[in-house]
Amino acid sequence: MGTISVVIPCRNDAPFLAVCLDALRGQSRRPDEVIVVDDGSTDDSAAIARGAGARVVAQPHRGIWPATAAGFDEATGEILARLDADSVPAPDWLERVEQRMGSDDRPTAVTGVGTFYGGTRPWRWIARHLYLGGYFTVIGAVLGHPPLFGSNSALRRDAWSVLRALVHRDRADVHDDLDLSWWMQPGMTVVYDPSLVVGVSIRPFESPEELGRRLVMAFRTLAVDWRAWPARRRRAERRRAMDAAGAVTR
């Protein structure tokens, strides 16, 4: 398949980051490069990343999308795999990413499921089935393809070279994964693979303020992207590209 870079934006998440990096060291298919984008941390996140052999990209606190974009820009791999600092990938996560991206249909991007850890069972159920399940169901219906889940996804580097000029990469007030999903161009494909499993912390859903912030960001992202590329026009343009590709292969 080629090389795989794993990009992890991080701000003051040293304990979670240590677990995430340890899980990457235990992968059946080791990453060729791990990049931790230190988004202005005041704890020892950067030191933990360097100690684990990751390359650290330091930037002032600018937010999740600018941090993710900086990591994608710095990455050298042909595949850009994406985790959050609190992600705990299954031991075969990268192996499955490589297999799916190397399959005959050659998807532009692949995304998988999150299994939540910590907190209480009711909150884990809400996060998994209502929040994440709703995200895939509702946003998938709007987009016409699965959205990317930022804690568990991978994208081709050549696609990023196109998308980096289209997405709202400098805005900290929009969700990076939803924004990136929206700007997938005609001919680009996103595949949801339930065998890609990553543990994700329940912590954002235990605080009404944090959950509310995420929901506000989701609606803001939709509003920003909808104005720039209306959903109906977007789907029509993507459908025409698919029809044209099908006509060529027949």
Side-chain angles (χ1 to χ4, degrees):
M1 253 302 296
T3 54
I4 302 178
S5 299
V6 179
V7 174
I8 309 170
C10 177
R11 184 170 192 267
N12 292 336
D13 263 339
F16 286 105
L17 180 63
V19 175
C20 178
L21 294 174
D22 186 60
L24 285 175
R25 284 194 295 269
Q27 292 291 297
S28 55
R29 194 283 189 206
R30 297 289 294 275
D32 298 286
E33 175 183 52
V34 177
I35 295 177
V36 173
V37 183
D38 179 19
D39 188 33
S41 295
T42 56
D43 66 1
D44 56 351
S45 293
I48 285 176
R50 292 189 183 96
R55 181 153 66 98
V56 175
V57 175
Q59 67 169 24
H61 178 39
R62 298 176 56 209
I64 187 70
W65 209 175
T68 300
F72 285 170
D73 286 346
E74 290 288 332
T76 61
E78 296 171 49
I79 302 298
L80 311 179
R82 166 80 162 81
L83 295 172
D84 281 323
D86 63 354
S87 298
V88 185
D92 62 349
W93 178 68
L94 273 183
E95 180 181 352
R96 291 183 179 274
V97 166
E98 183 175 55
Q99 290 173 350
R100 190 62 188 87
M101 294 292 275
S103 57
D104 291 342
D105 59 342
R106 289 187 57 80
T108 304
V110 64
T111 193
V113 69
T115 58
F116 290 87
Y117 64 86
T120 63
R121 181 175 295 180
W123 271 115
R124 291 195 297 270
W125 190 93
I126 290 170
R128 174 68 182 91
H129 296 282
L130 298 185
Y131 183 85
L132 192 54
Y135 173 67
F136 278 111
T137 300
V138 175
I139 301 302
V142 172
L143 294 175
H145 61 77
L148 295 170
F149 174 40
S151 299
N152 180 6
S153 58
L155 172 73
R156 295 190 187 277
R157 186 163 175 255
D158 57 0
W160 173 245
S161 69
V162 174
L163 294 167
R164 66 186 302 275
L166 301 174
V167 298
H168 297 90
R169 54 175 293 154
D170 292 323
R171 293 191 62 156
D173 61 342
V174 300
H175 282 297
D176 58 316
D177 47 6
L178 176 52
D179 188 48
L180 184 59
S181 301
W182 194 277
W183 289 98
M184 298 296 290
Q185 295 297 287
M188 294 183 178
T189 56
V190 181
V191 171
Y192 172 77
D193 186 345
S195 74
L196 298 180
V197 180
V198 165
V200 183
S201 172
I202 194 66
R203 58 182 175 154
F205 305 96
E206 295 183 312
S207 163
E209 293 77 16
E210 180 60 22
L211 180 57
R213 184 186 71 83
R214 287 172 175 255
L215 292 174
V216 168
M217 282 183 66
F219 284 109
R220 182 184 298 114
T221 306
L222 284 172
V224 168
D225 287 336
W226 206 300
R227 285 194 300 268
W229 193 12
R232 191 170 182 177
R233 190 178 80 203
R234 178 189 184 279
R235 293 190 64 168
E237 291 175 4
R238 287 180 55 84
R239 192 180 306 112
R240 285 196 295 270
M242 291 176 62
D243 292 342
V248 168
T249 57
R250 284 197 293 269

